[in-house]
Amino acid sequence: EGTVDPGKTEEPEATATPTPIPEAYVIRTDANGNTVDLGGIEVIIRDWWSAGDNIADTVPRDDYDEARKEYLLWAMDTYNFTIKEMAIGDWGSNPQDFIDYATTGGDEYYVFCLRQGGEMISAMNSGLMYDVSGLDCLDFSKEKWGSGVHNLMSKNGAIYGFRGIDPEPRGCMYFNKDILTEAGIDPNEIYELQRKGEWTWAKLEEYCEKVQRDKDNDGVIDIYGMVQQGSEFHKAAVIANGGSFIGKDANGKFFNNLEAKETLEALNWSTRMQQTYLMPQGDGNWDYFIQAFKDGKACFFADQVYRAGQMIGDYNNGLCATFGCVTFPKNQNNPNANEYISFYEDNVYCIPACYDEEKAWKIAFAYDLYTQPIPGYEDYSAWQNGQYPNFCDTESVDETMTYLLNRGEVLHHTFITDINMGEDLLWNLGNANAEGVIETPAEAAERLRESWNAKIENANNN
């Protein structure tokens, strides 16, 4: 007893394989091997809608929120900084707010969130955005940059804007379930068509024809097939058909694509649909379509996803089953339209060029930490949490929003500073001009050809 058989060897004690540290928790060090110290700075992601809550004070809604809060508190403590999103200014003042700040400078540590448009591109071309391509704390090969905003905001090797979060779903089609039911149509049928890939222009037109009616036979239409701001319907139709207003070639040069077959085909259809089924504005405000849809005066409403959050409050008293949301339908006669295509019009994040390299690096480092995928939730669709409260059914989020996020095209016309898509084209389609003439899309394209080409050439050369 207590002796070892000389014919046997003792088995080495098994050692557990150490669990690898998640990337988010891997300590980032400086050139001397020390943990990066940001010196106690407060970084503000400056937008026009956030409450400015401190992360430590937020109440997690679920396990993901709990894990994200735990990680961010660890990151802020480890690297000695704080960060939060805060509304400063509003949607209207946003472009000028950035220009003013980037011109005069300040002591703050801002990441600006900018809406797309000519002002943003003008600011970029004027040298007001910091070129982050040389900041080694940003690795744009990582999946979180997959929306490609940094590519859109690239010029001659420089990168002036970025987005480390999911793209925002945009163009969609809301529908009123009660109106469909009254017309003898099962509202769930639309979701089934979407799942089967059979949600098409023809089906939309069929439904519009069935629901549009004069209920009391007084010669006035009481329920219209559609209501919306025309520009949203036209944009969605063009993208859904594989067209575009402004294209971008392999060399990064913009070109006029208004006269392409797919573009004109879509505009001809969308114009005819609006002339046939659109509820007119009458004496109402320009945004009459929002209240008209909420009041049940029209069945279909082409708009953007954010609109659901503005409408949902009117449906919270037992009426939330009223509306659903699907993708914009595809053209059944286009053999290349084999999937639902939406468009991206993402807000862009940038650092003012008035900061020096050290300050810009610290801000970029903090933003990179803030947008880091959360360990254990790398494949988790965090965006869904923010969308569920805005919709009346789960199909709108689980199915429709997934389609919109997975397949979107960029609207390049927002990068041509001198083109006003509404005034130039979209607001006029199907409507008589001052001379009482209604232009066809082809006639409008011909009218715009020379001026657009000049503006596009100017954009390509700047």
Side-chain angles (χ1 to χ4, degrees):
E1 191 174 322
T3 61
V4 177
D5 185 340
K8 295 182 179 181
T9 57
E10 286 189 316
E11 292 287 334
E13 207 173 294
T15 57
T17 303
T19 302
I21 299 173
E23 180 185 351
Y25 285 101
V26 173
I27 300 295
R28 305 186 190 189
T29 58
D30 60 21
N32 298 317
N34 300 316
T35 300
V36 170
D37 186 345
L38 296 182
I41 64 173
E42 179 186 51
V43 176
I44 294 177
I45 301 174
R46 177 172 169 168
D47 57 37
W48 57 90
W49 67 86
S50 296
D53 297 328
N54 291 314
I55 294 165
D57 298 329
T58 60
V59 178
R61 295 171 294 182
D62 55 22
D63 291 345
Y64 170 80
D65 276 0
E66 183 71 47
R68 185 169 188 266
K69 179 177 180 178
E70 179 182 319
Y71 159 71
L72 289 174
L73 290 175
W74 172 86
M76 291 190 295
D77 180 65
T78 300
Y79 300 106
N80 190 21
F81 77 107
T82 59
I83 188 169
K84 62 183 178 181
E85 299 172 66
M86 177 183 291
I88 302 176
D90 56 34
W91 186 89
S93 70
N94 174 257
Q96 191 61 47
D97 290 343
F98 173 75
I99 291 171
D100 292 344
Y101 185 88
T103 300
T104 60
D107 296 330
E108 298 83 3
Y109 288 77
Y110 283 148
V111 177
F112 270 82
C113 177
L114 300 179
R115 58 181 174 88
Q116 286 193 26
E119 303 101 324
M120 183 186 74
I121 301 304
S122 179
M124 181 180 77
N125 291 336
S126 299
L128 296 178
M129 298 178 184
Y130 195 92
D131 172 16
V132 299
S133 64
L135 301 180
D136 59 9
C137 56
L138 299 179
D139 180 359
F140 289 110
S141 68
K142 291 185 175 180
E143 188 176 346
K144 73 175 183 179
W145 308 104
S147 64
V149 166
H150 60 288
N151 292 324
L152 292 174
M153 298 295 291
S154 296
K155 188 173 181 180
N156 299 323
I159 299 175
Y160 297 105
F162 44 87
R163 182 183 177 91
I165 55 178
D166 288 321
E168 184 178 349
R170 291 288 182 172
C172 64
M173 180 70 75
Y174 298 101
F175 60 91
N176 186 303
K177 297 182 179 183
D178 291 343
I179 293 176
L180 288 171
T181 301
E182 290 173 8
I185 302 168
D186 180 359
N188 293 320
E189 183 179 303
I190 300 184
Y191 286 125
E192 185 60 29
L193 289 170
Q194 180 173 252
R195 294 182 200 110
K196 293 161 62 176
E198 298 174 2
W199 174 228
T200 63
W201 290 358
K203 291 302 296 187
L204 174 62
E205 188 161 5
E206 175 190 324
Y207 290 153
C208 284
E209 185 176 1
K210 287 182 178 179
V211 301
Q212 183 159 296
R213 61 194 186 277
D214 172 10
K215 297 175 67 174
D216 52 13
N217 297 313
D218 64 353
V220 178
I221 296 175
D222 300 297
I223 302 294
Y224 283 86
M226 309 188 308
V227 66
Q228 64 248 333
Q229 186 176 24
S231 56
E232 294 298 328
F233 191 79
H234 295 310
K235 283 193 300 186
V238 166
I239 297 301
N241 201 41
S244 64
F245 303 101
I246 304 296
K248 193 175 186 181
D249 64 24
N251 297 316
K253 297 295 185 181
F254 298 111
F255 61 88
N256 185 347
N257 204 41
L258 188 53
E259 295 182 82
K261 175 180 178 294
E262 295 83 0
T263 304
L264 289 179
E265 183 178 45
L267 292 176
N268 285 328
W269 174 78
S270 62
T271 299
R272 180 176 61 79
M273 286 291 290
Q274 294 208 144
Q275 289 174 324
T276 308
Y277 300 110
L278 181 66
M279 178 182 174
Q281 178 175 347
D283 296 328
N285 296 328
W286 70 270
D287 59 353
Y288 76 103
F289 46 86
I290 303 172
Q291 193 62 46
F293 180 73
K294 291 193 291 187
D295 290 343
K297 294 180 179 179
C299 185
F300 292 96
F301 176 35
D303 206 278
Q304 297 198 31
V305 171
Y306 73 83
R307 188 75 68 190
Q310 299 175 351
M311 297 193 297
I312 196 68
D314 293 328
Y315 297 111
N316 273 341
N317 298 319
L319 297 175
C320 194
T322 300
F323 78 88
C325 183
V326 285
T327 62
F328 196 89
K330 60 186 179 181
N331 180 5
Q332 70 284 347
N333 296 321
N334 182 348
N336 296 319
N338 53 12
E339 58 183 326
Y340 305 113
I341 307 175
S342 182
F343 58 87
Y344 294 149
E345 223 171 12
D346 287 326
N347 297 321
V348 174
Y349 295 83
C350 68
I351 297 172
C354 56
Y355 296 155
D356 60 27
E357 183 178 2
E358 180 183 359
K359 189 169 185 177
W361 189 93
K362 289 181 176 180
I363 294 170
F365 185 90
Y367 179 85
D368 189 54
L369 291 169
Y370 188 71
T371 56
Q372 183 74 14
I374 303 305
Y377 294 86
E378 288 82 359
D379 298 324
Y380 180 72
S381 298
W383 57 268
Q384 289 177 310
N385 286 341
Q387 294 291 352
Y388 283 128
N390 297 334
F391 288 90
C392 294
D393 56 33
T394 56
E395 290 94 339
S396 294
V397 179
D398 295 341
E399 298 176 20
T400 302
M401 297 302 110
T402 300
Y403 281 120
L404 298 179
L405 279 169
N406 288 344
R407 187 68 172 86
E409 294 292 333
V410 173
L411 298 178
H412 292 298
H413 67 264
T414 60
F415 291 83
I416 312 298
T417 56
D418 299 326
I419 288 181
N420 187 318
M421 190 59 64
E423 292 181 3
D424 286 357
L425 177 69
L426 300 181
W427 298 343
N428 305 315
L429 290 174
N431 300 317
N433 59 22
E435 290 74 36
V437 176
I438 298 179
E439 275 186 327
T440 66
E443 290 169 340
E446 183 177 0
R447 169 176 56 84
L448 293 168
R449 185 189 303 145
E450 186 175 337
S451 64
W452 273 26
N453 287 345
K455 293 170 182 177
I456 292 169
E457 182 178 5
N458 182 59
N460 284 331
N461 292 332
N462 283 335

